[in-house]
Amino acid sequence: MKKISLKDIAQKAGVSTALVSYVLNGKEKETRVGEAIAKKVREIAKELNYQPNHLAKSLRSGKTHTIGLIIADISNPFFANIARVVEDEAKRNGYTVIIGSCDENAEKSWDLLNVLINRQVDGFIIVSCEGSENQIRYLKERNLPFVLLDRHFPDIETDFVATNNYKASYDAGIHLIESGYERIGLIAYQSEMYHMVERIRGYKHALNDNNIAFDANWLKEVTFENMEQEVKTAIDAYLAADYKIEALIFATYGLAINGLKYINELRLKVPSDLAIVSFGQAEVFDLYYCPITYLRQPLELLGKTSVEYLLKKMKNPEEGMKQTLMEAKLIARDSSMAKSTWMAE
Amino acid sequence: MKKISLKDIAQKAGVSTALVSYVLNGKEKETRVGEAIAKKVREIAKELNYQPNHLAKSLRSGKTHTIGLIIADISNPFFANIARVVEDEAKRNGYTVIIGSCDENAEKSWDLLNVLINRQVDGFIIVSCEGSENQIRYLKERNLPFVLLDRHFPDIETDFVATNNYKASYDAGIHLIESGYERIGLIAYQSEMYHMVERIRGYKHALNDNNIAFDANWLKEVTFENMEQEVKTAIDAYLAADYKIEALIFATYGLAINGLKYINELRLKVPSDLAIVSFGQAEVFDLYYCPITYLRQPLELLGKTSVEYLLKKMKNPEEGMKQTLMEAKLIARDSSMAKSTWMAE
């Protein structure tokens, strides 16, 4: 198939090539092209399946109108859904998003970053993975515009938009304590990432502020790679302990899914055998036999704001640093209902 | 930060730039560089955070070692998970994957295709959306290597790897009939896409082969855009009918999620009020109070095979057409248990 040119459209429409160019570049208003003519040109362009040459266009403008989005794990619905929000928002602003998923692997993240830099995206939105600090420093030092999304590094000055994970986790602890639970476990990732450190810190503070002595056996840290097996081992250890925990917080969606599957396997009843609160959000929390209390992160707002910050940064690289922590909201449901409620039943 | 060059590494290692180039391009064996020297060079490259210039490299080779993956909807876990498989398999073969999601929108799909063509990916793997036939023809006519994944167009000769949707849907119908259900509904998308047409055809044939007269009210076709509301309306219509359906097949994961939420809202009991079988696969089907019978599509194999076909096509454009339909497997669980079982309870 021959590539359709502006000239082809001009010939068919019986107008000049320049006029076609004006219309297709959205400049008909400036040049006072009549609306009927503009409409005709657009229709013919569509009919002939005209594809603007973005590359040529971007070589002229120095802009590609493309955003690179690197997410930590595409198979995690939180990230997949936030990617959808970023795309919609970018599209509304005339940008196309190219996505790479690094599967929580810093080496893969480097590859993706390089591929996207070489593909000349205008800027980046990044959900960082562990060990990728040097990549963020690299972007900074090369003055490539970027915004960190959902996860950030407190030691590196960057634009970011993330959830206040300390507060969210603190709220989860307080909620369980207020519901009458005292021995509260937390399953988290073994990670030095700030969001994970903050989730552990918030949980501990909630206990401390309520004079509950934190028992080191209550906190289990598992690896991302062997999550399935290690979550099982953690739950087994909880159940074998002298003083069993009464409630359990899952620090991520993935941990919750693996944990809930095993809890079902063991035929434990939620909440009477074990009350549950989880980070992350997904349909499964609604449809579980005992709806799961979760921390609703402001997914829409996180995604939209990351695009907004990036566009501002790209427009004016001298803009001041923008750093926003947003609050998660605890959505209380049956999985953490007041102990007095189910004990009375 | 100054970009690290081969020369920088050579100086630090005390060897020639050419030798560094040999090592970093994996040619040390050919040139008989000692292993100790090679190791030293690699370590210094790592230490200095050397980034090979892929663009320059690909300009020489004419290859970018990048695959463009266009999926129909990133927020659908089936596609997000298949993207993960494609990435892993591509990575194993030395390729990086750039993903675009078109949200079932043909215009967005065009944009993505153009962005990725201009970014010079070596080939495409595409989960097509409705109305994108012209895009597939465009790729064919330009001799750009591609493989269709999960969805294909029977009228266009292309490489593809997809599920045998007719058979899967037929199996779902037969399974329900054998479990004692006769009045069986199907909620599908209003779509001319072949995979959807085939799912409807298989369902009808299963009824027909068992002398069950298909009632036009049993089939509800909803739009992707207003799925949530239209699924509710469909279920309301089923319940208001003189002869209520006893069992319901959801033609996609998204339809099932919306349907199950509404079924819970109405406090219908699965399977005694309504037996359920669904396409798609997700954690939610395991964790629902009554585990959901579903058609397990060979996600891993679909993803891997698409990469395999694409790599072959890129290596040898003259390779014959490869078209594979794979079988889904019905995973029978409580949501479609034999009517006699729960009636006896």
Side-chain angles (χ1 to χ4, degrees), chain B residues 8-49:
Chain B
D8 298 326
I9 300 168
Q11 279 176 349
K12 186 142 191 205
V15 300
S16 73
T17 308
L19 191 146
V20 171
S21 169
Y22 287 137
V23 171
L24 297 182
N25 286 304
K27 293 183 180 160
E28 70 267 32
K29 295 256 157 43
E30 298 164 33
T31 46
R32 301 185 193 177
V33 176
E35 183 47 39
I37 297 283
K39 197 173 162 220
K40 187 175 173 193
V41 166
R42 276 193 298 265
E43 276 170 6
I44 289 170
K46 202 169 173 185
E47 190 187 316
L48 295 177
N49 194 15

mmCIF file of all heavy atoms in Angstrom, chain B residues 8-49:
data_model
loop_
_atom_site.group_PDB
_atom_site.id
_atom_site.type_symbol
_atom_site.label_atom_id
_atom_site.label_comp_id
_atom_site.label_asym_id
_atom_site.label_seq_id
_atom_site.Cartn_x
_atom_site.Cartn_y
_atom_site.Cartn_z
ATOM 1 N N ASP B 8 36.419 5.410 28.255
ATOM 2 C CA ASP B 8 36.543 5.572 29.714
ATOM 3 C C ASP B 8 36.843 4.235 30.378
ATOM 4 O O ASP B 8 37.671 4.136 31.282
ATOM 5 C CB ASP B 8 35.233 6.123 30.313
ATOM 6 C CG ASP B 8 34.895 7.505 29.777
ATOM 7 O OD1 ASP B 8 35.845 8.286 29.524
ATOM 8 O OD2 ASP B 8 33.698 7.805 29.589
ATOM 9 N N ILE B 9 36.123 3.229 29.906
ATOM 10 C CA ILE B 9 36.302 1.893 30.489
ATOM 11 C C ILE B 9 37.702 1.376 30.157
ATOM 12 O O ILE B 9 38.413 0.847 31.014
ATOM 13 C CB ILE B 9 35.230 0.916 29.956
ATOM 14 C CG1 ILE B 9 33.841 1.436 30.323
ATOM 15 C CG2 ILE B 9 35.442 -0.489 30.517
ATOM 16 C CD1 ILE B 9 32.707 0.713 29.618
ATOM 17 N N ALA B 10 38.097 1.583 28.908
ATOM 18 C CA ALA B 10 39.411 1.119 28.443
ATOM 19 C C ALA B 10 40.532 1.746 29.277
ATOM 20 O O ALA B 10 41.456 1.058 29.723
ATOM 21 C CB ALA B 10 39.583 1.466 26.962
ATOM 22 N N GLN B 11 40.417 3.058 29.517
ATOM 23 C CA GLN B 11 41.446 3.758 30.297
ATOM 24 C C GLN B 11 41.557 3.179 31.695
ATOM 25 O O GLN B 11 42.637 2.881 32.177
ATOM 26 C CB GLN B 11 41.127 5.250 30.371
ATOM 27 C CG GLN B 11 41.557 5.975 29.110
ATOM 28 C CD GLN B 11 41.171 7.446 29.111
ATOM 29 O OE1 GLN B 11 40.398 7.885 29.957
ATOM 30 N NE2 GLN B 11 41.704 8.194 28.153
ATOM 31 N N LYS B 12 40.384 3.001 32.315
ATOM 32 C CA LYS B 12 40.381 2.505 33.684
ATOM 33 C C LYS B 12 40.903 1.060 33.763
ATOM 34 O O LYS B 12 41.568 0.690 34.735
ATOM 35 C CB LYS B 12 38.954 2.604 34.255
ATOM 36 C CG LYS B 12 38.882 2.256 35.719
ATOM 37 C CD LYS B 12 37.908 3.122 36.503
ATOM 38 C CE LYS B 12 38.097 2.882 37.990
ATOM 39 N NZ LYS B 12 36.933 3.171 38.788
ATOM 40 N N ALA B 13 40.600 0.277 32.736
ATOM 41 C CA ALA B 13 41.011 -1.134 32.751
ATOM 42 C C ALA B 13 42.438 -1.305 32.243
ATOM 43 O O ALA B 13 43.035 -2.372 32.373
ATOM 44 C CB ALA B 13 40.042 -1.949 31.905
ATOM 45 N N GLY B 14 42.965 -0.258 31.614
ATOM 46 C CA GLY B 14 44.303 -0.338 31.050
ATOM 47 C C GLY B 14 44.381 -1.257 29.839
ATOM 48 O O GLY B 14 45.360 -1.981 29.640
ATOM 49 N N VAL B 15 43.317 -1.256 29.047
ATOM 50 C CA VAL B 15 43.311 -2.063 27.810
ATOM 51 C C VAL B 15 42.857 -1.169 26.658
ATOM 52 O O VAL B 15 42.546 -0.004 26.862
ATOM 53 C CB VAL B 15 42.353 -3.277 27.942
ATOM 54 C CG1 VAL B 15 42.774 -4.198 29.094
ATOM 55 C CG2 VAL B 15 40.909 -2.808 28.146
ATOM 56 N N SER B 16 42.818 -1.752 25.447
ATOM 57 C CA SER B 16 42.407 -0.945 24.302
ATOM 58 C C SER B 16 40.888 -0.822 24.227
ATOM 59 O O SER B 16 40.158 -1.662 24.747
ATOM 60 C CB SER B 16 42.908 -1.581 23.007
ATOM 61 O OG SER B 16 42.150 -2.741 22.735
ATOM 62 N N THR B 17 40.427 0.246 23.576
ATOM 63 C CA THR B 17 38.990 0.451 23.390
ATOM 64 C C THR B 17 38.395 -0.697 22.587
ATOM 65 O O THR B 17 37.283 -1.157 22.860
ATOM 66 C CB THR B 17 38.746 1.784 22.644
ATOM 67 O OG1 THR B 17 39.460 2.810 23.339
ATOM 68 C CG2 THR B 17 37.277 2.151 22.618
ATOM 69 N N ALA B 18 39.140 -1.172 21.610
ATOM 70 C CA ALA B 18 38.655 -2.272 20.773
ATOM 71 C C ALA B 18 38.387 -3.506 21.624
ATOM 72 O O ALA B 18 37.358 -4.178 21.469
ATOM 73 C CB ALA B 18 39.674 -2.603 19.688
ATOM 74 N N LEU B 19 39.305 -3.760 22.556
ATOM 75 C CA LEU B 19 39.132 -4.938 23.406
ATOM 76 C C LEU B 19 37.869 -4.790 24.266
ATOM 77 O O LEU B 19 37.094 -5.730 24.420
ATOM 78 C CB LEU B 19 40.374 -5.126 24.291
ATOM 79 C CG LEU B 19 40.440 -6.451 25.040
ATOM 80 C CD1 LEU B 19 41.890 -6.927 25.168
ATOM 81 C CD2 LEU B 19 39.814 -6.339 26.414
ATOM 82 N N VAL B 20 37.666 -3.596 24.808
ATOM 83 C CA VAL B 20 36.453 -3.352 25.599
ATOM 84 C C VAL B 20 35.218 -3.628 24.751
ATOM 85 O O VAL B 20 34.266 -4.290 25.175
ATOM 86 C CB VAL B 20 36.427 -1.896 26.135
ATOM 87 C CG1 VAL B 20 35.069 -1.582 26.772
ATOM 88 C CG2 VAL B 20 37.544 -1.669 27.132
ATOM 89 N N SER B 21 35.253 -3.144 23.519
ATOM 90 C CA SER B 21 34.131 -3.339 22.601
ATOM 91 C C SER B 21 33.874 -4.829 22.363
ATOM 92 O O SER B 21 32.725 -5.280 22.404
ATOM 93 C CB SER B 21 34.417 -2.620 21.289
ATOM 94 O OG SER B 21 33.470 -3.010 20.316
ATOM 95 N N TYR B 22 34.958 -5.589 22.140
ATOM 96 C CA TYR B 22 34.800 -7.035 21.940
ATOM 97 C C TYR B 22 34.097 -7.670 23.131
ATOM 98 O O TYR B 22 33.153 -8.427 22.994
ATOM 99 C CB TYR B 22 36.171 -7.725 21.764
ATOM 100 C CG TYR B 22 36.816 -7.461 20.425
ATOM 101 C CD1 TYR B 22 38.173 -7.172 20.328
ATOM 102 C CD2 TYR B 22 36.054 -7.529 19.248
ATOM 103 C CE1 TYR B 22 38.768 -6.930 19.096
ATOM 104 C CE2 TYR B 22 36.646 -7.288 18.019
ATOM 105 C CZ TYR B 22 38.003 -6.984 17.941
ATOM 106 O OH TYR B 22 38.579 -6.752 16.733
ATOM 107 N N VAL B 23 34.600 -7.331 24.319
ATOM 108 C CA VAL B 23 34.065 -7.959 25.531
ATOM 109 C C VAL B 23 32.582 -7.614 25.703
ATOM 110 O O VAL B 23 31.748 -8.495 25.913
ATOM 111 C CB VAL B 23 34.867 -7.526 26.782
ATOM 112 C CG1 VAL B 23 34.169 -8.006 28.056
ATOM 113 C CG2 VAL B 23 36.287 -8.068 26.717
ATOM 114 N N LEU B 24 32.282 -6.321 25.573
ATOM 115 C CA LEU B 24 30.907 -5.899 25.873
ATOM 116 C C LEU B 24 29.917 -6.333 24.790
ATOM 117 O O LEU B 24 28.715 -6.371 25.019
ATOM 118 C CB LEU B 24 30.844 -4.387 26.100
ATOM 119 C CG LEU B 24 31.662 -3.908 27.311
ATOM 120 C CD1 LEU B 24 31.510 -2.416 27.490
ATOM 121 C CD2 LEU B 24 31.275 -4.634 28.594
ATOM 122 N N ASN B 25 30.443 -6.667 23.614
ATOM 123 C CA ASN B 25 29.558 -7.189 22.582
ATOM 124 C C ASN B 25 29.565 -8.714 22.557
ATOM 125 O O ASN B 25 29.062 -9.336 21.625
ATOM 126 C CB ASN B 25 29.929 -6.626 21.210
ATOM 127 C CG ASN B 25 29.503 -5.176 21.093
ATOM 128 O OD1 ASN B 25 28.339 -4.845 21.285
ATOM 129 N ND2 ASN B 25 30.479 -4.301 20.830
ATOM 130 N N GLY B 26 30.157 -9.302 23.606
ATOM 131 C CA GLY B 26 30.122 -10.763 23.744
ATOM 132 C C GLY B 26 30.975 -11.498 22.734
ATOM 133 O O GLY B 26 30.686 -12.624 22.352
ATOM 134 N N LYS B 27 32.021 -10.826 22.240
ATOM 135 C CA LYS B 27 32.860 -11.468 21.218
ATOM 136 C C LYS B 27 34.245 -11.832 21.753
ATOM 137 O O LYS B 27 35.191 -12.010 20.985
ATOM 138 C CB LYS B 27 33.002 -10.539 20.004
ATOM 139 C CG LYS B 27 31.692 -10.356 19.277
ATOM 140 C CD LYS B 27 31.847 -9.498 18.036
ATOM 141 C CE LYS B 27 30.506 -9.337 17.339
ATOM 142 N NZ LYS B 27 30.482 -8.185 16.451
ATOM 143 N N GLU B 28 34.378 -11.889 23.099
ATOM 144 C CA GLU B 28 35.713 -12.145 23.641
ATOM 145 C C GLU B 28 36.231 -13.522 23.261
ATOM 146 O O GLU B 28 37.431 -13.707 23.082
ATOM 147 C CB GLU B 28 35.754 -11.950 25.173
ATOM 148 C CG GLU B 28 35.002 -12.995 25.976
ATOM 149 C CD GLU B 28 33.589 -12.559 26.273
ATOM 150 O OE1 GLU B 28 33.012 -11.845 25.441
ATOM 151 O OE2 GLU B 28 33.061 -12.938 27.326
ATOM 152 N N LYS B 29 35.296 -14.489 23.100
ATOM 153 C CA LYS B 29 35.725 -15.845 22.730
ATOM 154 C C LYS B 29 36.444 -15.819 21.386
ATOM 155 O O LYS B 29 37.543 -16.327 21.238
ATOM 156 C CB LYS B 29 34.521 -16.795 22.652
ATOM 157 C CG LYS B 29 33.834 -17.009 23.982
ATOM 158 C CD LYS B 29 34.168 -18.344 24.600
ATOM 159 C CE LYS B 29 33.956 -18.338 26.096
ATOM 160 N NZ LYS B 29 32.717 -17.668 26.521
ATOM 161 N N GLU B 30 35.768 -15.172 20.412
ATOM 162 C CA GLU B 30 36.326 -15.103 19.056
ATOM 163 C C GLU B 30 37.717 -14.487 19.036
ATOM 164 O O GLU B 30 38.590 -14.880 18.270
ATOM 165 C CB GLU B 30 35.442 -14.230 18.138
ATOM 166 C CG GLU B 30 34.034 -14.779 17.965
ATOM 167 C CD GLU B 30 33.110 -13.710 17.392
ATOM 168 O OE1 GLU B 30 33.585 -12.878 16.611
ATOM 169 O OE2 GLU B 30 31.911 -13.721 17.743
ATOM 170 N N THR B 31 37.919 -13.500 19.875
ATOM 171 C CA THR B 31 39.177 -12.760 19.816
ATOM 172 C C THR B 31 40.166 -13.189 20.895
ATOM 173 O O THR B 31 41.190 -12.563 21.093
ATOM 174 C CB THR B 31 38.894 -11.253 19.930
ATOM 175 O OG1 THR B 31 37.959 -11.058 20.994
ATOM 176 C CG2 THR B 31 38.307 -10.711 18.660
ATOM 177 N N ARG B 32 39.814 -14.273 21.560
ATOM 178 C CA ARG B 32 40.717 -14.889 22.541
ATOM 179 C C ARG B 32 41.194 -13.937 23.632
ATOM 180 O O ARG B 32 42.363 -13.937 24.005
ATOM 181 C CB ARG B 32 41.933 -15.494 21.830
ATOM 182 C CG ARG B 32 41.478 -16.538 20.820
ATOM 183 C CD ARG B 32 42.654 -17.210 20.208
ATOM 184 N NE ARG B 32 42.218 -17.963 19.040
ATOM 185 C CZ ARG B 32 43.018 -18.632 18.245
ATOM 186 N NH1 ARG B 32 44.330 -18.653 18.485
ATOM 187 N NH2 ARG B 32 42.566 -19.305 17.216
ATOM 188 N N VAL B 33 40.257 -13.113 24.110
ATOM 189 C CA VAL B 33 40.587 -12.273 25.261
ATOM 190 C C VAL B 33 40.587 -13.185 26.489
ATOM 191 O O VAL B 33 39.710 -14.041 26.608
ATOM 192 C CB VAL B 33 39.518 -11.177 25.447
ATOM 193 C CG1 VAL B 33 39.805 -10.363 26.698
ATOM 194 C CG2 VAL B 33 39.445 -10.308 24.219
ATOM 195 N N GLY B 34 41.546 -13.040 27.351
ATOM 196 C CA GLY B 34 41.577 -13.876 28.559
ATOM 197 C C GLY B 34 40.353 -13.620 29.434
ATOM 198 O O GLY B 34 39.828 -12.506 29.463
ATOM 199 N N GLU B 35 39.893 -14.654 30.134
ATOM 200 C CA GLU B 35 38.684 -14.551 30.950
ATOM 201 C C GLU B 35 38.863 -13.510 32.059
ATOM 202 O O GLU B 35 37.936 -12.768 32.380
ATOM 203 C CB GLU B 35 38.325 -15.928 31.537
ATOM 204 C CG GLU B 35 37.039 -15.977 32.346
ATOM 205 C CD GLU B 35 35.865 -15.278 31.656
ATOM 206 O OE1 GLU B 35 35.723 -15.387 30.408
ATOM 207 O OE2 GLU B 35 35.106 -14.583 32.344
ATOM 208 N N ALA B 36 40.061 -13.446 32.640
ATOM 209 C CA ALA B 36 40.313 -12.500 33.734
ATOM 210 C C ALA B 36 40.141 -11.061 33.253
ATOM 211 O O ALA B 36 39.497 -10.234 33.903
ATOM 212 C CB ALA B 36 41.714 -12.708 34.298
ATOM 213 N N ILE B 37 40.704 -10.788 32.064
ATOM 214 C CA ILE B 37 40.584 -9.437 31.492
ATOM 215 C C ILE B 37 39.115 -9.137 31.183
ATOM 216 O O ILE B 37 38.597 -8.063 31.509
ATOM 217 C CB ILE B 37 41.420 -9.329 30.168
ATOM 218 C CG1 ILE B 37 42.907 -9.538 30.448
ATOM 219 C CG2 ILE B 37 41.152 -8.009 29.477
ATOM 220 C CD1 ILE B 37 43.599 -8.343 31.066
ATOM 221 N N ALA B 38 38.444 -10.106 30.570
ATOM 222 C CA ALA B 38 37.040 -9.906 30.199
ATOM 223 C C ALA B 38 36.218 -9.581 31.441
ATOM 224 O O ALA B 38 35.381 -8.672 31.435
ATOM 225 C CB ALA B 38 36.495 -11.153 29.502
ATOM 226 N N LYS B 39 36.486 -10.331 32.511
ATOM 227 C CA LYS B 39 35.748 -10.133 33.751
ATOM 228 C C LYS B 39 35.997 -8.718 34.298
ATOM 229 O O LYS B 39 35.080 -8.011 34.701
ATOM 230 C CB LYS B 39 36.196 -11.178 34.777
ATOM 231 C CG LYS B 39 35.218 -11.315 35.930
ATOM 232 C CD LYS B 39 35.577 -12.473 36.848
ATOM 233 C CE LYS B 39 34.868 -12.293 38.185
ATOM 234 N NZ LYS B 39 35.706 -12.642 39.322
ATOM 235 N N LYS B 40 37.267 -8.336 34.264
ATOM 236 C CA LYS B 40 37.642 -7.012 34.769
ATOM 237 C C LYS B 40 36.907 -5.907 33.992
ATOM 238 O O LYS B 40 36.373 -4.965 34.577
ATOM 239 C CB LYS B 40 39.168 -6.845 34.632
ATOM 240 C CG LYS B 40 39.706 -5.582 35.282
ATOM 241 C CD LYS B 40 41.225 -5.537 35.215
ATOM 242 C CE LYS B 40 41.768 -4.208 35.700
ATOM 243 N NZ LYS B 40 43.200 -4.045 35.337
ATOM 244 N N VAL B 41 36.893 -6.049 32.658
ATOM 245 C CA VAL B 41 36.237 -5.054 31.813
ATOM 246 C C VAL B 41 34.745 -4.963 32.155
ATOM 247 O O VAL B 41 34.187 -3.874 32.313
ATOM 248 C CB VAL B 41 36.429 -5.390 30.313
ATOM 249 C CG1 VAL B 41 35.472 -4.574 29.442
ATOM 250 C CG2 VAL B 41 37.869 -5.154 29.903
ATOM 251 N N ARG B 42 34.126 -6.128 32.303
ATOM 252 C CA ARG B 42 32.694 -6.128 32.618
ATOM 253 C C ARG B 42 32.425 -5.487 33.976
ATOM 254 O O ARG B 42 31.457 -4.753 34.146
ATOM 255 C CB ARG B 42 32.141 -7.560 32.569
ATOM 256 C CG ARG B 42 31.762 -7.991 31.138
ATOM 257 C CD ARG B 42 30.933 -9.260 31.135
ATOM 258 N NE ARG B 42 31.673 -10.383 31.691
ATOM 259 C CZ ARG B 42 32.358 -11.264 30.961
ATOM 260 N NH1 ARG B 42 32.377 -11.164 29.646
ATOM 261 N NH2 ARG B 42 33.012 -12.242 31.548
ATOM 262 N N GLU B 43 33.311 -5.765 34.923
ATOM 263 C CA GLU B 43 33.131 -5.187 36.255
ATOM 264 C C GLU B 43 33.260 -3.666 36.234
ATOM 265 O O GLU B 43 32.483 -2.949 36.853
ATOM 266 C CB GLU B 43 34.132 -5.790 37.244
ATOM 267 C CG GLU B 43 33.630 -7.113 37.826
ATOM 268 C CD GLU B 43 34.708 -7.848 38.618
ATOM 269 O OE1 GLU B 43 35.810 -7.272 38.796
ATOM 270 O OE2 GLU B 43 34.446 -8.983 39.024
ATOM 271 N N ILE B 44 34.260 -3.194 35.514
ATOM 272 C CA ILE B 44 34.451 -1.736 35.425
ATOM 273 C C ILE B 44 33.258 -1.088 34.717
ATOM 274 O O ILE B 44 32.770 -0.042 35.134
ATOM 275 C CB ILE B 44 35.791 -1.403 34.725
ATOM 276 C CG1 ILE B 44 36.943 -1.777 35.670
ATOM 277 C CG2 ILE B 44 35.857 0.068 34.332
ATOM 278 C CD1 ILE B 44 38.313 -1.721 35.035
ATOM 279 N N ALA B 45 32.791 -1.750 33.658
ATOM 280 C CA ALA B 45 31.630 -1.217 32.931
ATOM 281 C C ALA B 45 30.443 -1.081 33.879
ATOM 282 O O ALA B 45 29.721 -0.084 33.869
ATOM 283 C CB ALA B 45 31.276 -2.139 31.758
ATOM 284 N N LYS B 46 30.282 -2.081 34.727
ATOM 285 C CA LYS B 46 29.162 -2.083 35.675
ATOM 286 C C LYS B 46 29.356 -0.972 36.710
ATOM 287 O O LYS B 46 28.438 -0.207 37.015
ATOM 288 C CB LYS B 46 29.088 -3.434 36.363
ATOM 289 C CG LYS B 46 27.724 -3.723 36.938
ATOM 290 C CD LYS B 46 27.579 -5.149 37.376
ATOM 291 C CE LYS B 46 26.249 -5.330 38.101
ATOM 292 N NZ LYS B 46 26.103 -6.665 38.664
ATOM 293 N N GLU B 47 30.568 -0.911 37.219
ATOM 294 C CA GLU B 47 30.911 0.065 38.247
ATOM 295 C C GLU B 47 30.684 1.498 37.743
ATOM 296 O O GLU B 47 30.163 2.350 38.448
ATOM 297 C CB GLU B 47 32.382 -0.168 38.577
ATOM 298 C CG GLU B 47 32.939 0.545 39.782
ATOM 299 C CD GLU B 47 34.453 0.316 39.820
ATOM 300 O OE1 GLU B 47 34.880 -0.839 39.586
ATOM 301 O OE2 GLU B 47 35.198 1.287 40.024
ATOM 302 N N LEU B 48 31.074 1.743 36.500
ATOM 303 C CA LEU B 48 30.916 3.083 35.927
ATOM 304 C C LEU B 48 29.494 3.304 35.411
ATOM 305 O O LEU B 48 29.159 4.364 34.904
ATOM 306 C CB LEU B 48 31.904 3.295 34.770
ATOM 307 C CG LEU B 48 33.391 3.290 35.133
ATOM 308 C CD1 LEU B 48 34.237 3.433 33.868
ATOM 309 C CD2 LEU B 48 33.708 4.435 36.100
ATOM 310 N N ASN B 49 28.689 2.237 35.516
ATOM 311 C CA ASN B 49 27.311 2.328 35.054
ATOM 312 C C ASN B 49 27.248 2.623 33.558
ATOM 313 O O ASN B 49 26.519 3.495 33.092
ATOM 314 C CB ASN B 49 26.581 3.401 35.856
ATOM 315 C CG ASN B 49 25.091 3.308 35.660
ATOM 316 O OD1 ASN B 49 24.595 2.301 35.160
ATOM 317 N ND2 ASN B 49 24.400 4.365 36.020
#
